[in-house]
Amino acid sequence: KAGVTQTPRYLIKTRGQQVTLSCSPISGHRSVSWYQQTPGQGLQFLFEYFSETQRNKGNFPGRFSGRQFSNSRSEMNVSTLELGDSALYLCASRAGSTNNEQFFGPGTRLTVL
Amino acid sequence: GDSVTQMEGPVTLSEEAFLTINCTYTATGYPSLFWYVQYPGEGLQLLLKATKADDKGSNKGFEATYRKETTSFHLEKGSVQVSDSAVYFCALRISQGGSEKLVFGKGTKLTVNP
């Protein structure tokens, strides 16, 4: 079974631009979560989607948004990029039932200049 | 709120040394606890988990015991290898209304020298 895939792996943007990151979950997984990893703040939960609905959201500004498609693929969007948005963005998928393990993708490294 | 505190390191050991990485948590109720490992350039991999008090998770020679009385989940390995060099994250899982999220510690970078 293929693992969680994320595209692109690396991205360089400038302040004020917007960016869209993509995540394809493991086949059959209906839940996708996003996390931001930075040296200062560590790993922080952004949001979780299940069956195209956002089920939970972390403490991030409205510039961070996401969506999930009917095939469970998910995208996250960051608008009006700031230098502090530079981070590794990790996507994780799970089957969706309670207490299923989350499987992480390799991440997208976003650099904002 | 729920949180995880782990020793931040970095930790440098010689091959075959004993490893302990401390992790304590603050949570409402009794969350499931996890250790994840991140190798350079990769995402997180689940190393081991424990879902209730006194459970011991183990994998690849690593062990951790869920201690409710001390709210701890320390990671140990009796003899580390160079290939164990990575960043280790302690985490707890919060489940609410069908949604789940992981709360992570800051991570501990381990370097094992030959």
Side-chain angles (χ1 to χ4, degrees):
Chain A
K1 214 181 226 188
V4 178
T5 58
Q6 293 186 246
T7 56
R9 290 293 310 276
Y10 302 91
L11 207 47
I12 300 175
K13 292 286 188 179
T14 56
R15 278 181 298 175
Q17 288 187 309
Q18 75 162 18
V19 67
T20 299
L21 313 181
S22 179
C23 171
S24 292
I26 292 171
S27 177
H29 284 191
R30 297 169 64 191
S31 167
V32 173
S33 295
W34 290 87
Y35 293 83
Q36 181 196 63
Q37 184 178 16
T38 60
Q41 299 300 315
L43 279 152
Q44 294 186 287
F45 172 78
L46 278 156
F47 25 65
E48 181 191 19
Y49 285 87
F50 179 84
S51 292
E52 303 178 65
T53 301
Q54 186 181 89
R55 287 211 291 199
N56 200 354
K57 189 177 193 309
N59 189 24
F60 279 82
R63 301 185 297 106
F64 290 81
S65 63
R67 60 178 176 169
Q68 187 180 33
F69 302 94
S70 58
N71 63 357
S72 293
R73 189 177 71 85
S74 176
E75 290 181 346
M76 67 163 281
N77 183 276
V78 188
S79 62
T80 319
L81 284 165
E82 300 177 359
L83 295 179
D85 297 333
S86 294
L88 180 67
Y89 290 88
L90 293 166
C91 165
S93 77
R94 63 185 181 94
S97 301
T98 305
N99 297 329
N100 287 141
E101 178 185 343
Q102 291 198 29
F103 293 84
F104 284 81
T108 294
R109 172 73 63 185
L110 171 66
T111 302
V112 182
L113 302 176
Chain B
D2 300 327
S3 65
V4 174
T5 302
Q6 65 177 102
M7 56 185 282
E8 293 192 19
V11 174
T12 302
L13 297 173
S14 298
E15 205 164 25
E16 298 184 3
F18 184 84
L19 169 71
T20 300
I21 301 178
N22 290 335
C23 171
T24 58
Y25 67 91
T26 301
T28 310
Y30 305 105
S32 295
L33 301 173
F34 304 82
W35 277 100
Y36 281 85
V37 58
Q38 186 175 36
Y39 297 101
E42 298 184 13
L44 301 176
Q45 297 177 25
L46 178 64
L47 182 60
L48 53 83
K49 68 178 181 182
T51 58
K52 61 183 187 297
D54 300 325
D55 264 3
K56 178 186 280 189
S58 61
N59 185 25
K60 299 180 182 179
F62 291 89
E63 292 182 340
T65 301
Y66 190 140
R67 300 285 188 202
K68 184 179 68 173
E69 61 277 10
T70 54
T71 61
S72 65
F73 192 55
H74 305 321
L75 182 68
E76 296 182 337
K77 186 175 186 182
S79 176
V80 293
Q81 305 301 311
V82 172
S83 57
D84 294 326
S85 297
V87 182
Y88 292 81
F89 293 91
C90 184
L92 62 83
R93 179 170 62 199
I94 299 173
S95 300
Q96 195 170 29
S99 173
E100 294 185 358
K101 70 175 185 180
L102 295 169
V103 175
F104 290 90
K106 294 284 192 180
T108 301
K109 183 176 181 180
L110 170 66
T111 301
V112 181
N113 295 318

